[in-house]
Structure formats: structure tokens, C-alpha cells
Amino acid sequence: FETYKSEKHDILNSLKRRAERLSSALNTLEGVSCNTIDGAMYAFPTITLPEKAILEAQSRKIEPDAMYAMELLENTGIVVVPGSGFGQVSGTYHFRTTILPPEDKIENVISRLKVYHAKFLSSYA
């Protein structure tokens, strides 16, 4: 029983550290706002997209956050779910991501997301 308690404690603490690290990192991105991740394994940040990106998505007949998510996947291999699939408020954009990458890999995920986000914004500036 002591092994179980120790392993459970370690896992929950690791999830807490990853949640704090991811929400903190998301909040450093330009135009991104993320509530503290508490009690879930997901983050659901709001993203402000440039008007040119919104127009480009409309020309492709897809939701702007879906375009962001697809380009993120194509450029980094990172999978997020566009907020448009969750019935978000019209004119707002989000994506859902998880805190489940292992602790020793989450920094790499954050780094790739930061680089992609900056390139996305500059390409549609």
C-alpha cells in the first residue's frame, strides 16, 4: 500500500508541475490567454489571430482556429483540437491541448509551440 501511495503522489505532483508549466508558457505567447489548469488534463487557451489569418481561413472555408491547429500539426507534429469544435463564442478562437506529454518532454513541446506561434503571427502580420 505504501508503494501505491508513493506512486500516486509522484504522478499527481508531476501532473501539477506540467499543468503549471504549460499554462505559464501559454500565457507568455503573444495574443494567448490561458486559465490556470486545475483539476483537468487539458488547457483551453484563447488565441487572438491576425485578421489576415482569419481571412485566409475563410478563403479556405475552414475555421481560423482549425487552420491554426492544422498548420501547427503540419509544422511541429503537435496535435491540438480547435476550439471551434466545442461551440465557442462566435468571433473567439481557442484550442484544447493536454498536459500529458511526459515531464522530460514537455519543455520540447513548449519550445516547438513557441517557435510555431511566432512564425504563424509573423506570416499573417
Side-chain angles (χ1 to χ4, degrees):
F1 184 72
E2 289 305 314
T3 300
Y4 165 78
K5 284 184 4 183
S6 174
E7 288 176 353
K8 177 183 171 187
H9 179 266
D10 291 347
I11 290 168
L12 292 175
N13 282 337
S14 174
L15 288 169
K16 183 177 181 178
R17 286 190 300 272
R18 286 181 270 171
E20 290 169 352
R21 181 64 188 111
L22 183 59
S23 61
S24 174
L26 288 167
N27 281 316
T28 68
L29 300 178
E30 181 182 345
V32 176
S33 176
C34 184
N35 291 332
T36 302
I37 303 165
D38 188 28
M41 291 183 282
Y42 300 102
F44 198 65
T46 300
I47 54 174
T48 302
L49 299 175
E51 187 64 28
K52 285 184 181 179
I54 295 168
L55 294 172
E56 176 63 23
Q58 290 170 344
S59 76
R60 296 183 193 181
K61 299 188 181 345
I62 60 173
E63 292 293 330
D65 53 3
M67 183 179 83
Y68 180 93
M70 188 57 92
E71 290 185 13
L72 175 64
L73 174 62
E74 292 168 351
N75 286 280
T76 68
I78 298 171
V79 177
V80 299
V81 180
S84 51
F86 295 94
Q88 64 195 4
V89 174
S90 180
T92 65
Y93 306 105
H94 306 80
F95 63 85
R96 187 177 80 171
T97 189
T98 183
I99 64 167
L100 292 178
E103 212 165 349
D104 64 337
K105 295 189 178 4
I106 201 145
E107 287 303 323
N108 181 269
V109 171
I110 290 168
S111 176
R112 292 186 347 239
L113 177 59
K114 284 182 175 184
V115 169
Y116 164 77
H117 185 74
K119 285 182 181 178
F120 182 90
L121 293 182
S122 69
S123 70
Y124 292 105

